[in-house]
Amino acid sequence: NPQSTIPIFSYIYLFKAFEIKKYFEKNYILSMNIKEIQLRILFVCLGNICRSPAAQGIMEHLLLTDYKNINNRVIVDSCGTIDFHAGNQPDRRMREEASKRGIILDHRARSINLNDLKINDLIIAMDDSNYNNIIYMGGDKNKVKRMIDFVEDKRGYDEIPDPYYGGKEDFNLSLDLIEDGCRGILNYLIDKYELK
Ligand code: 4NP
């Protein structure tokens, strides 16, 4: 009889409604968590006065300009594998060439420590020697990557060359490769973590 079937259907509807509510809650919570995650990127070179502070400055600049929509999702830092220049400003030549591109480098040099290996999601080595030193310290190969692997126009280089003993053109070559690599890293992260 039709009267007795009504309560059964309404139970089914109630149950369905509850499932739908749970589904939305779960996805809402998931999307909240994803929004809150901040990715840490650490750039590493030898002295932390030329290449890695330039990478940090360029990355921060990109996060305020072309990639400002994901600015709140990424934290950037840099360090060196040696502490010889600890506390120093970036190399004057690198600051000058970067400032011509509208990028102010105000990092103070420091050397890498074991905590850096733990707290960072991506550790970007400028050259193979930096890479090997970070791995030797215990860096996780899933996190430690080479900058050159993110560079689209590698210009025949298989690492970011050290400009320290070079001239202006070497600093500009570093800056070109590093900017290309920074864009590559951001595009990789946007893809991997579905950043919006
Ligand atoms: P960076 O360049 O590793 O890109 O900061 C260098 C800085 C200092 C030295 C070498 C490279 N140094 O021999 O002191």
Side-chain angles (χ1 to χ4, degrees):
N1 109 42
Q3 248 147 24
S4 65
T5 59
I6 290 168
I8 293 170
F9 277 120
S10 44
Y11 276 129
I12 291 171
Y13 279 121
L14 203 63
F15 184 70
K16 281 275 167 224
F18 210 69
E19 264 185 46
I20 291 165
K21 182 169 169 278
K22 270 199 301 195
Y23 173 82
F24 277 109
E25 273 174 1
K26 185 171 154 236
N27 281 284
Y28 180 64
I29 289 164
L30 272 179
S31 71
M32 291 237 313
N33 283 343
I34 289 168
K35 270 198 191 103
E36 280 163 14
I37 292 172
Q38 285 195 305
L39 298 164
R40 285 181 178 272
I41 306 174
L42 180 69
F43 292 107
V44 186
C45 62
L46 179 65
N48 192 213
I49 53 167
C50 298
R51 293 163 294 173
S52 64
Q56 179 181 357
I58 288 173
M59 192 58 121
E60 286 168 350
H61 183 77
L62 288 173
L63 287 165
L64 290 172
T65 53
D66 292 358
Y67 292 83
K68 62 171 179 269
N69 55 321
I70 58 161
N71 184 27
N72 61 343
R73 305 291 305 277
V74 184
I75 297 170
V76 191
D77 194 7
S78 69
C79 64
T81 56
I82 60 170
D83 69 359
F84 188 71
H85 300 277
N88 292 351
Q89 279 192 295
D91 188 284
R92 181 185 45 77
R93 298 162 294 172
M94 187 55 104
R95 277 186 284 129
E96 276 176 13
E97 296 315 307
S99 81
K100 289 178 191 165
R101 300 172 184 227
I103 294 158
I104 304 303
L105 304 180
D106 60 359
H107 178 73
R108 290 285 173 164
R110 70 174 183 87
S111 60
I112 191 166
N113 60 58
L114 290 176
N115 194 44
D116 286 319
L117 305 184
K118 264 196 237 163
I119 68 167
N120 287 287
D121 301 287
L122 202 52
I123 299 171
I124 306 289
M126 292 296 143
D127 63 32
D128 289 352
S129 154
N130 310 144
Y131 178 87
N132 291 332
N133 284 326
I134 300 163
I135 297 298
Y136 184 73
M137 281 179 74
D140 176 352
K141 281 190 179 171
N142 294 313
K143 287 186 186 184
V144 186
K145 311 274 179 199
R146 293 174 174 86
M147 185 62 155
I148 199 71
D149 292 335
F150 293 97
V151 177
E152 198 177 341
D153 182 8
K154 295 183 177 37
R155 304 190 193 179
Y157 290 92
D158 53 12
E159 45 186 11
I160 308 297
D162 182 355
Y164 191 66
Y165 296 103
K168 237 186 205 183
E169 61 290 347
D170 300 290
F171 283 86
N172 278 297
L173 170 67
S174 283
L175 287 167
D176 288 344
L177 293 172
I178 288 167
E179 181 184 336
D180 186 327
C182 282
R183 289 179 187 276
I185 291 167
L186 289 172
N187 294 336
Y188 160 80
L189 292 177
I190 287 169
D191 207 44
K192 181 170 178 185
Y193 295 97
E194 296 179 10
L195 304 181
K196 287 190 185 82

